[in-house]
Amino acid sequence: MTPQNFGRAIRRTEDDRLVTGRGSFTDDAGSTGLSLTMIRSPYANARILSIDVSEALEVEGVQAVLTYSDLPGRLVEPLPLLIPHPSLVAPRTQYILANEHVRYVGQAIVAIFATDRYVGEDAAERVIIEYEPGEAVVGIDAALGPHLVHEDVPGNVAADHSEHVGDVDTALANASHVLELELNMERSMGSSLEGRASHATWDRHSRKLRIQNATQTPTSVRFAVANILEIPDEQVEVFAIDVGGGFGTKVIHPWPEDILTAWGAIEYDCPVKFTEDRVEHFISSSHERAQRHQIKVGFDEEGRILGLDVDFIHDNGAYTPYGMIAPLITATQLPGPYKLPNYRVRFRSVYTNTVQVTPYRGAARPHAVFSMERTIDRIAAFLEIDRAEVRRRNFIQPDEFPYDLGMIFQDGRPAIYDSGNYPELLEKVLSMIEWDDFPERRSQATPGRRRGIGVACYVEGTGLGPYEGGHVRVETGGKVQVSTGLASSGQGHHTVFAQIVADELGVPFEDVEVVTGDTRRFQYAVGTFASRAAVTSGNAVAEAARLVKEKAISIAADALEANPDDLEIVDAQVQVKGTTARGIPLAQVAVLANPLRYSFSEAARAATQFAGAGDLDEPPVKPGEDPGLEATGWYSPVRATFASGAHAVEVEVDAATSEVEILRYCVVHDCGRLINPMIVEGQIHGGVAQGIAGALYEKMAYDEDGNLQNASFMDFLMPYCTEIPEVEIDHLETLSPLNPLGIKGAGEAGVIPVSAAIAAAVEDAEGFQINHMPLFPSELHEMRAIGVDEPN
Amino acid sequence: MKPSPFNYYCPASVDEAVQLLSDLEDAKILAGGQSLIPLMNFRLAAPEHLIDISGLAELSEIKVDPDEVEIGASVTHSQVLQSEQIGSELPLLWEAEKLVAHEVIRNRGTLCGSLAHADPAGEMTAVLSVLRGKVQTASVSGGRTIQAMDLFEGPLQSSLRDDELIVSATFPTLGPNAVSSFREVARRHGDYAVAGAVSVVEYDDNSLVCSAQAAFLSVGPVPTLISLDDLLVGHRIEDVGYTEIYNFLSSQLDPHGDLQTSADYRRHLAAEMGWASLEACT
Ligand SMILES: Cc1cc2nc3c(=O)[nH]c(=O)nc-3n(C[C@H](O)[C@H](O)[C@H](O)COP(=O)(O)OP(=O)(O)OC[C@H]3O[C@@H](n4cnc5c(N)ncnc54)[C@H](O)[C@@H]3O)c2cc1C
């Protein structure tokens, strides 16, 4: 195969539609039928004493008002625990509607089905709920205190997990130096432009429940809905046409509203829609990132790490639908690109009366990197060695792959780095930002400002299993239809999968049409998360394309009476290698692939029974063959593939306002072979923007009663594009040996080391330690007054 | 986030608008809707009747005289920024308008709506205060003029009566010896300021200060007007210097903290902005 599309910065085919308002998001799916409105708890912890819905039922346009006690069948059960784990000792998931207790502000209590959302909210005002409020557990300190979030979960501990390699105690005892750090990270969230949404219609004629859902995993939503409603999978179709961002929140499923819209569509025999509004997204979807880390590191005179002991607390909010995946990722990704012969990690995942915590882009890696990189910077400061040099001395070397961390990754498999070149990443980023010349630039800082520089490196496990599949079909009109089961939420899958298939099959890029996330087209899939779509679905569609190519060549060989080994496909034509003279268009091969009784076009006549093709002693479709020029390919990786990168940032802090200005932001990124550099760079831009958000702007401001005080974009400071600097990007391409395309994931990388890099730069500018993120000017102002970042 | 039901009126004249305002129980004026509609969507406000004045031609005028600029109640922030005359006669208004939100909001939001809304974080309230401007009102019982210092009573509270409509706002222009400047810090571009200051300084023929006023936004329930006359009259700002001015302003300001900002930091920032805006007037 000579790649013509793979590796090229082709413009995204989805953009024309999306930027001209012709996307098809779930809320666009029609407005007939009913709208679902939820009443949510105003208390973080309360018993529900009574609910009076009688007045709401009188509002014109209200179809039904449901509470827990009205739910039928399996809808009374708690929602599924998506990922169990042996260390997850006390998992808890929420009910579709609160069963006696509410455990966070925002928890759904009452479901109103009404003609539209306006009527629903009018009715909601007329429902009277009596509560008996209890003590709210908010924040890590409170979680470790006497009050319980779930009466039957002692100490609020959902999970308690430890892993180690080597002998940390001995290593620390023998180390020339030992330092201790306490690091804190705050909560934020993905804040997708489109919130959660589901639109369900029940076709009672064909007995199909059709669900358009803003999800990252349509196949799983389908199984969950069928299972809870106790109807055959076959009756449920789930598709995500366009999804306005997911960032992890939309991999969580089923949400209460997914089930209620589906159930309501059948019960009331009409379409039912739920479109989450922004306040609901803040208080009733998912958050991430609050962790407190205690770190002890032992190292030698050269700054080589001998032992690292990490103990951290993860605030998982009120429920654990995604198990303990987030803190587990912190634990296993914390070593990053460094050799840690002796590493021990323990975490406790604890309940609080706040919104549940599930992975958000980066998925607990920003904490891991913050811990490791802050630790390295601290070692450098202690030994007065250049921060880059300490990194060099601790790197896993390029000749040490595969490198076994000695731990179990989030896919339940050994964490073994497949490939990488960390020293080169660092050198590249250092030269990009002109690290060595920084002292000179420091002295040229804008008057009244202090300048600093920081660097941070990371490794990201991507592309994990269990599997994805892809289907490729060549139509008789020449179009190549590709489908894969995972959904797209802005990544550019339609473009990159087409690039892969075009090259593998030998057809023009423009002829390839991709559909993702539609169970009517592809029934088996896992989902879009963990930077896995390109690796898993990419390799699956490549495999499907190879199978189609094989089949096309074998059919064409018959038709051309040629040896299959002599044939190739170039520009959608099967031909004898090197000549265009003897060839047959792929579209025609597609005709021949499907023996016909009835012709439907001039071209199709060639496949009919009197056209004279084929061996009359053989059946038209030979044993072991299928009609149609199509194939399904699968890719199931043995384990994750590990991408990596290094970020460097130069900042100035204003002496008067304590505002941090980013002067330059440089990224060197290695995700193996690049399918489309422009798309990878777009992913990095978005990731870095979210990283800067988490470093300097965003946090969830809970009061002690568990009210989220900044549940709007007015007060939750998601940065605008005006706050994001230009991001300079360079790539390294260390191929992954684990998959035929040599690729690694790129979706989350941008966000991961940003907090670490910015903390390092601000620390460098200010001269006092930075131990927490995000960092607001107001705090920085106060820290300057006392000259230290007090653990809060 | 959907508003409660309301009735919508689109009067053809100011007379009709004030008549409706007087006749209807629980009615509100709707101008650009950039402050009112969000409140209604959160159901923090649920007026029964909305009287839309945004299409009233009578209220769409911008009058620029040598002494004052008068801006009608349906004039949007963007229209203020499009008026070259305002740009040359009262550049301060332009400077301040550029700090109001983002373009899409300025395209709908009105200057008079900002004043009626009486948000102490708004730039227009501060500018009206420091310039000692005024608003003209109309009602069924007749109109009146309200001076800036009498207009703002508290956060989102003005001295307008329920049956009263702002018809226009008047900003005095600056004399030939006066200089003005606006400085603020917002966490994000276009956000309400964490703190800000707008200063107007007049000089005598010897280039010594003969009057210095500063209005601060986001530091109290209403725009905070501070006179620096005692400190600066008869001097040069740069001679009095940063420390003395900063300390004086800090001592005069008593802001509150919020989710992003401690009271201390806000006081510091306001004093810094005060200094910066005065320094820019030299
Ligand atoms: C995201 C965002 C950011 C913003 N940032 C800023 C900012 O940085 N600085 C800033 O100053 N503003 C900011 N604003 C507010 C915006 O400037 C104001 O919404 C706008 O100027 C108010 O005018 P309006 O025409 O939209 O008023 P409306 O929303 O229509 O009305 C506001 C209030 O004033 C009353 N009212 C309006 N006009 C009259 C009148 N003529 N007579 C009597 N009562 C009247 C209404 O009844 C209502 O109570 C922001 C708004 C948004 C949404």
Side-chain angles (χ1 to χ4, degrees):
Chain A
M1 170 186 87
T2 27
Q4 299 183 324
N5 298 291
F6 199 112
R8 262 178 56 205
I10 294 179
R11 274 172 182 270
R12 291 167 28 124
T13 46
E14 26 301 69
D15 287 345
D16 176 40
R17 200 166 48 77
L18 291 175
V19 302
T20 54
R22 288 176 293 132
S24 185
F25 297 90
T26 300
D27 193 50
D28 297 325
S31 51
T32 58
L34 295 170
S35 159
L36 174 65
T37 305
M38 309 297 277
I39 300 181
R40 303 183 185 280
S41 175
Y43 290 103
N45 175 18
R47 234 158 57 79
I48 298 169
L49 301 178
S50 68
I51 306 177
D52 180 356
V53 304
S54 53
E55 269 195 55
L57 284 169
E58 314 222 311
V59 175
E60 198 187 318
V62 170
Q63 168 85 38
V65 182
L66 305 187
T67 66
Y68 178 78
S69 59
D70 301 313
L71 295 176
R74 300 197 55 192
L75 274 72
V76 299
E77 296 174 8
L79 290 168
L81 169 65
L82 294 169
I83 309 182
H85 188 286
S87 299
L88 182 64
V89 287
R92 293 291 180 274
T93 58
Q94 63 184 339
Y95 290 93
I96 289 174
L97 295 173
N99 175 11
E100 257 181 73
H101 245 104
V102 281
R103 294 195 165 84
Y104 64 94
V105 171
Q107 185 164 4
I109 301 173
V110 178
I112 299 174
F113 293 85
T115 45
D116 61 47
R117 179 73 188 240
Y118 293 82
V119 174
E121 292 192 21
D122 294 345
E125 285 188 334
R126 290 168 177 76
V127 173
I128 301 157
I129 306 177
E130 256 190 301
Y131 300 91
E132 182 186 290
E135 199 72 35
V137 177
V138 179
I140 285 171
D141 284 329
L144 302 177
H147 298 292
L148 296 181
V149 176
H150 300 274
E151 310 69 59
D152 56 347
V153 180
N156 292 315
V157 175
D160 190 336
H161 182 75
S162 303
E163 280 191 67
H164 72 277
V165 285
D167 178 353
V168 173
D169 290 324
T170 309
L172 289 176
N174 296 337
S176 354
H177 307 288
V178 174
L179 289 175
E180 292 188 35
L181 294 77
E182 180 177 315
L183 302 174
N184 277 283
M185 274 190 120
E186 269 289 353
R187 271 187 187 217
S188 182
M189 73 187 303
S191 311
S192 50
L193 275 179
E194 177 203 35
R196 299 181 292 119
S198 192
H199 179 262
T201 58
W202 170 241
D203 178 345
R204 73 185 130 92
H205 304 291
S206 60
R207 302 192 66 70
K208 293 278 190 206
L209 183 60
R210 297 207 171 93
I211 300 174
Q212 183 172 351
N213 191 289
T215 179
Q216 297 170 231
T217 176
T219 48
S220 304
V221 171
R222 177 191 190 207
F223 292 138
V225 167
N227 185 53
I228 294 171
L229 298 190
E230 299 178 274
I231 57 177
D233 297 343
E234 209 42 56
Q235 284 184 10
V236 183
E237 301 172 344
V238 178
F239 45 97
I241 305 177
D242 285 314
V243 177
F247 306 118
T249 299
K250 290 177 182 168
V251 86
I252 306 306
H253 67 279
W255 293 97
E257 299 85 354
D258 296 339
I259 301 301
L260 288 167
T261 45
W263 174 82
I266 300 176
E267 177 73 14
Y268 306 119
D269 195 13
C270 70
V272 180
K273 180 152 81 180
F274 171 73
T275 304
E276 182 186 63
D277 69 25
R278 186 56 53 184
V279 174
E280 291 180 299
H281 193 64
F282 274 109
I283 64 168
S284 62
S285 65
S286 283
H287 297 167
E288 209 226 285
R289 299 242 201 284
Q291 283 183 189
R292 176 187 297 169
H293 292 212
Q294 307 286 346
I295 298 169
K296 210 186 245 190
V297 62
F299 49 98
D300 66 15
E301 297 296 344
E302 259 70 61
R304 271 183 211 95
I305 298 175
L306 305 171
L308 183 71
D309 195 9
V310 179
D311 190 342
F312 71 93
I313 311 277
H314 170 86
D315 170 357
N316 60 227
Y319 295 99
T320 53
Y322 215 64
M324 45 169 253
I325 288 296
L328 188 65
I329 292 175
T330 301
T332 48
Q333 296 261 258
L334 200 136
Y338 308 108
K339 265 185 261 191
L340 297 183
N342 302 291
Y343 168 50
R344 178 169 62 201
V345 60
R346 176 195 182 196
F347 68 78
R348 278 161 292 162
S349 184
V350 295
Y351 286 108
T352 57
N353 289 114
T354 58
V355 169
Q356 67 189 21
V357 167
T358 63
Y360 150 42
R361 192 183 203 175
R365 292 179 190 84
H367 323 54
V369 174
F370 191 65
S371 295
M372 195 65 222
E373 297 294 308
R374 296 279 62 216
T375 300
I376 297 223
D377 286 342
R378 209 55 49 82
I379 294 171
F382 181 85
L383 295 174
E384 296 179 10
I385 303 177
D386 181 60
R387 291 169 289 168
E389 185 53 30
V390 178
R391 288 177 167 81
R392 285 185 197 110
R393 290 176 188 175
N394 284 284
F395 276 146
I396 295 162
Q397 295 302 309
D399 59 1
E400 290 177 300
F401 294 93
Y403 184 89
D404 190 345
L405 286 188
M407 309 186 70
I408 299 298
F409 194 48
Q410 60 152 322
D411 54 1
R413 286 158 183 258
I416 301 176
Y417 292 172
D418 52 334
S419 65
N421 189 340
Y422 311 142
E424 197 180 334
L425 279 175
L426 180 67
E427 297 317 318
K428 266 190 169 217
V429 88
L430 294 178
S431 78
M432 248 170 117
I433 199 139
E434 301 166 85
W435 178 269
D436 292 337
D437 303 334
F438 180 70
E440 205 175 303
R441 295 201 297 285
R442 190 199 296 279
S443 60
Q444 294 159 0
T446 315
R449 292 175 147 216
R450 301 167 196 173
R451 212 181 257 219
I453 195 167
V455 66
C457 306
Y458 66 94
V459 171
E460 183 201 357
T462 71
L464 35 99
Y467 73 88
E468 289 298 336
H471 181 260
V472 173
R473 190 176 77 243
V474 181
E475 294 187 336
T476 54
K479 285 280 178 217
V480 178
Q481 300 295 346
V482 178
S483 74
T484 187
L486 50 69
S488 303
S489 39
Q491 294 84 353
H493 294 154
H494 297 83
T495 306
V496 293
F497 296 155
Q499 286 179 264
I500 291 172
V501 169
D503 282 358
E504 292 287 350
L505 196 53
V507 299
F509 171 77
E510 295 70 29
D511 285 350
V512 185
E513 290 177 359
V514 178
V515 167
T516 59
D518 186 339
T519 64
R520 298 168 298 193
R521 290 286 299 275
F522 208 93
Q523 303 209 11
Y524 289 96
V526 182
T528 302
F529 57 90
S531 303
R532 67 187 293 283
V535 177
T536 53
S537 278
N539 277 290
V541 298
E543 173 63 13
R546 275 179 227 121
L547 294 172
V548 168
K549 180 178 179 181
E550 222 173 89
K551 186 169 184 180
I553 285 183
S554 127
I555 293 168
D558 278 352
L560 296 170
E561 293 177 350
N563 182 342
D565 293 342
D566 295 337
L567 298 182
E568 62 178 0
I569 306 181
V570 176
D571 217 6
Q573 156 138 316
V574 191
Q575 63 193 33
V576 174
K577 280 181 190 158
T579 86
T580 49
R582 269 191 76 208
I584 168 169
L586 206 53
Q588 188 61 22
V589 178
V591 169
L592 298 178
N594 180 23
L596 290 172
R597 184 160 180 84
Y598 311 116
S599 171
F600 50 83
S601 70
E602 194 61 34
R605 289 165 68 161
T608 53
Q609 54 268 51
F610 298 109
D615 182 342
L616 298 180
D617 291 330
E618 297 245 21
V621 177
K622 298 187 187 68
E625 285 184 359
D626 302 322
L629 188 49
E630 65 176 352
T632 300
W634 302 94
Y635 176 69
S636 180
V638 58
R639 58 181 168 267
T641 172
F642 287 81
S644 53
H647 291 198
V649 58
E650 192 165 321
V651 303
E652 270 187 357
V653 188
D654 191 282
T657 67
S658 300
E659 290 173 296
V660 177
E661 190 194 344
I662 296 174
L663 302 177
R664 284 186 72 200
Y665 201 100
C666 298
V667 174
V668 180
H669 182 252
D670 185 352
C671 60
R673 257 177 95 197
L674 293 168
I675 307 170
N676 183 325
M678 181 159 57
I679 285 182
V680 171
E681 284 167 18
Q683 289 288 333
I684 294 170
H685 290 156
V688 169
Q690 282 182 314
I692 290 172
L696 298 174
Y697 294 95
E698 297 177 351
K699 82 172 188 195
M700 295 296 168
Y702 274 105
D703 68 13
E704 57 190 20
D705 295 326
N707 298 300
L708 185 59
Q709 297 165 280
N710 60 342
S712 84
F713 282 147
M714 190 109 146
D715 300 310
F716 175 82
L717 303 181
M718 184 166 81
Y720 310 126
C721 58
T722 40
E723 277 60 59
I724 305 302
E726 188 174 327
V727 179
E728 301 165 49
I729 299 174
D730 197 2
H731 303 280
L732 203 64
E733 293 185 81
T734 314
L735 304 200
S736 172
L738 295 185
N739 64 74
L741 298 177
I743 56 183
K744 303 177 175 187
E748 296 170 273
V751 77
I752 294 171
V754 183
S755 276
I758 290 179
V762 173
E763 178 171 291
D764 185 45
E766 293 292 334
F768 51 77
Q769 298 180 357
I770 302 294
N771 293 319
H772 81 281
M773 278 284 161
L775 206 52
F776 290 173
S778 179
E779 291 171 288
L780 209 47
H781 174 73
E782 263 123 59
M783 283 154 61
R784 287 173 144 183
I786 55 172
V788 52
D789 182 3
E790 291 284 356
N792 50 10
Chain B
M1 289 173 73
K2 301 284 187 221
S4 301
F6 57 86
N7 298 309
Y8 173 84
Y9 302 84
C10 194
S13 65
V14 171
D15 284 347
E16 197 186 324
V18 293
Q19 193 61 51
L20 285 165
L21 205 49
S22 147
D23 291 349
L24 298 168
E25 193 70 17
D26 194 19
K28 275 254 169 218
I29 296 291
L30 174 69
Q34 298 303 292
S35 293
L36 183 55
I37 299 294
L39 288 174
M40 290 171 64
N41 284 345
F42 281 109
R43 296 198 177 211
L44 295 171
E48 226 167 282
H49 309 283
L50 286 189
I51 304 166
D52 187 348
I53 58 163
S54 63
L56 288 182
E58 288 170 75
L59 301 178
S60 66
E61 229 183 312
I62 296 177
K63 268 193 269 176
V64 182
D65 294 333
D67 295 344
E68 56 183 35
V69 172
E70 189 183 345
I71 290 166
S74 68
V75 174
T76 64
H77 298 294
S78 291
Q79 287 164 345
V80 171
L81 283 170
Q82 281 152 13
S83 161
E84 297 291 341
Q85 264 189 310
I86 292 180
S88 58
E89 293 300 320
L90 191 52
L92 176 60
L93 203 50
W94 265 20
E95 193 184 357
E97 279 287 18
K98 286 179 190 157
L99 298 169
V100 173
H102 310 100
E103 198 155 353
V104 284
I105 291 155
R106 294 197 296 260
N107 282 344
R108 276 185 178 273
T110 61
L111 185 150
C112 289
S114 255
L115 299 174
H117 196 54
D119 191 332
E123 284 79 6
M124 293 304 114
T125 54
V127 172
L128 195 77
S129 298
V130 80
L131 291 177
R132 296 168 199 276
K134 59 198 178 191
V135 297
Q136 291 73 39
T137 73
S139 73
V140 283
S141 53
R144 60 172 173 151
T145 297
I146 308 176
Q147 300 297 329
M149 61 203 299
D150 302 322
L151 181 62
F152 308 116
E153 297 194 324
L156 311 190
Q157 276 174 340
S158 76
S159 57
L160 287 175
R161 294 190 314 264
D162 284 348
D163 69 343
E164 209 169 12
L165 172 73
I166 294 182
V167 177
S168 67
T170 305
F171 296 84
T173 56
L174 297 180
N177 294 325
V179 191
S180 64
S181 165
F182 205 123
R183 289 286 184 275
E184 70 172 45
V185 171
R187 285 287 275 123
R188 298 173 298 186
H189 185 92
D191 276 3
Y192 281 107
V194 179
V198 48
S199 298
V200 174
V201 181
E202 269 183 72
Y203 293 92
D204 63 18
D205 295 338
N206 299 320
S207 301
L208 300 176
V209 173
C210 60
S211 152
Q213 311 297 321
F216 291 80
L217 49 157
S218 304
V219 295
V222 294
T224 306
L225 194 58
I226 295 179
S227 166
L228 291 102
D229 285 352
D230 288 350
L231 196 65
L232 297 177
V233 168
H235 303 283
R236 288 191 171 80
I237 290 170
E238 58 273 34
D239 292 344
V240 176
Y242 166 82
T243 310
E244 210 168 319
I245 292 178
Y246 174 92
N247 288 341
F248 172 74
L249 292 174
S250 301
S251 72
Q252 300 286 304
L253 294 161
D254 186 20
H256 55 93
D258 63 19
L259 299 176
Q260 308 289 344
T261 308
S262 68
D264 243 16
Y265 173 65
R266 179 167 267 145
R267 177 185 299 110
H268 160 77
L269 206 56
E272 287 283 357
M273 292 303 106
W275 159 252
S277 70
L278 286 163
E279 197 192 20
C281 290
T282 56

